[in-house]
Amino acid sequence: MAHKTAAVAVLIISLIVGGYLIYLGYTTGGQAGEAGGAPVNQTTATAAPKLKGEKETYTLPLLPGEKLYYTNAYYPLHSNKPASNSTYWIQITDVDWPFIVGTYQLAGQNRTGVARMAVGNLAIPRELLGSSSVTLPVVVPAIGSGLCAGLSLEGRGNYTMGNKTVPVVVYESSMNLTGTRLLVKLYYEASSGLLVKANFTIVLGGKAGMSIVQSLINASKGGTLRVSTPDTWICKPYLSSDLRFQAEGTLVIQGLQASPVPAGKVREVSLGNGIVLVILKDGQEVTQEFWQNILAASAQCPNARIYAIVVGGLTDNVTISLAKNVLERSVASEQTVLIKFQDGKAVDKVYRYGSYEEILNLLCGRPSTGGRT
């Protein structure tokens, strides 16, 4: 796993154009530099059931061809002076839930490209607008890590865009991801649900961090678009069916429910008896399939507790060190693996190429059928 630093300078250097223009698509194949990349023996005796999601049809205030003009400013923590800022436009081409797809161009530059933005970073569905609490997929600017953010209605107000003042609905969220605290404040236009302002504050280890402020300058709006979520879509605080939007840190997962736990608890389980998952948000399709199989098996084995270490762009160094320690002590040949510990020893492991049946057997305590290490 790559070393992560809390230095604000590194965060600033790592900024992607506009902050939200982050491609989080899946790729196939093994992760570069990993060991043990060959698939293990699999069995098809038990097919993975389809993950039961929360399919919904929503109305978004965006049509293909429309343009949105934004400015982003990046501030070191506790500073009123931006360290960097940019102005850019986005032209919508499609909606592929949980992403809004488009093209972007930086102001005054010839630089253009494809943008894949989380829905919550540009709009809130009209069906959810004004609700006291909602959960939306968002991507944290500059970090490129997604999560399903639980948002609470903070109030209503006004936002001035050029010579125009529009009523807004304001949502807030505060999440502790082990050693990282994330504060989110989103301002959506009250009539349409279009995002007009956003403030993301990232606090690492209680000290270093940064804030990103996104403001809408202008927009060409022409209508609404009806979109549907996938049948398998689960998006709630601390749990997502899409690994790209799974909250990071140390969590306990049981029966399709997840909640954060201290890193020390996961270490305690790995030194005693229990099931520990180490998983990287690496954008690999095989990792996403492994994640969905784990969730499906969790629904079939509701008594099984999975202590997960989810590693991504928001993960702090303490959590990364814990993941490394668990992998080393279990003699794991890959960085994404489900491990059963007994008296502090790894007695069973299923890597991301393992079958659903192998995952099910490990979680439910059934005898091993082979194909694992």
Side-chain angles (χ1 to χ4, degrees), residues 302-326:
N303 293 325
R305 292 185 179 180
I306 305 168
Y307 290 88
I309 309 172
V310 183
V311 178
L314 285 168
T315 312
D316 70 303
N317 287 334
V318 173
T319 306
I320 290 174
S321 295
L322 172 62
K324 288 181 177 179
N325 179 265
V326 169

Side-chain angles (χ1 to χ4, degrees), residues 222-308:
T224 59
L225 184 67
R226 297 279 285 173
V227 298
S228 295
T229 65
D231 292 339
T232 59
W233 179 247
I234 297 173
C235 186
K236 51 190 174 183
Y238 297 106
L239 186 69
S240 173
S241 56
D242 190 324
L243 184 60
R244 296 170 294 186
F245 292 94
Q246 173 56 39
E248 295 169 24
T250 48
L251 310 103
V252 60
I253 300 169
Q254 185 175 10
L256 292 182
Q257 299 293 327
S259 57
V261 294
K265 176 60 179 177
V266 181
R267 176 173 171 79
E268 177 186 322
V269 170
S270 71
L271 292 172
N273 302 313
I275 298 169
V276 177
L277 167 69
V278 180
I279 190 164
L280 274 65
K281 295 168 67 172
D282 58 10
Q284 300 287 322
E285 187 174 1
V286 66
T287 313
Q288 163 67 3
E289 292 173 356
F290 181 61
W291 173 250
Q292 288 203 334
N293 282 344
I294 286 175
L295 294 184
S298 173
Q300 296 297 315
C301 307
N303 293 325
R305 292 185 179 180
I306 305 168
Y307 290 88

Side-chain angles (χ1 to χ4, degrees), residues 16-17 19-27 96 99 101 104 114-118 139 144-145 244 282-283:
I16 307 299
V17 175
Y20 295 110
L21 312 183
I22 300 161
Y23 180 74
L24 293 174
Y26 291 127
T27 57
D96 181 19
F99 293 106
V101 185
Y104 72 86
V114 176
R116 289 173 62 85
M117 301 142 288
V139 168
S145 188
R244 296 170 294 186
D282 58 10

Side-chain angles (χ1 to χ4, degrees), residues 9 31 37 51 54 59 69 78 85 109 120 153 160 175 178 186 205 215-216 224 269 282 295 323 366:
Q31 184 179 349
L51 193 62
E54 302 159 357
T59 306
Y69 296 83
H78 308 307
N85 56 65
Q109 296 189 27
L153 181 63
T160 301
M175 297 183 72
T178 313
L186 304 173
S215 303
L216 184 66
T224 59
V269 170
D282 58 10
L295 294 184
R366 298 172 183 173

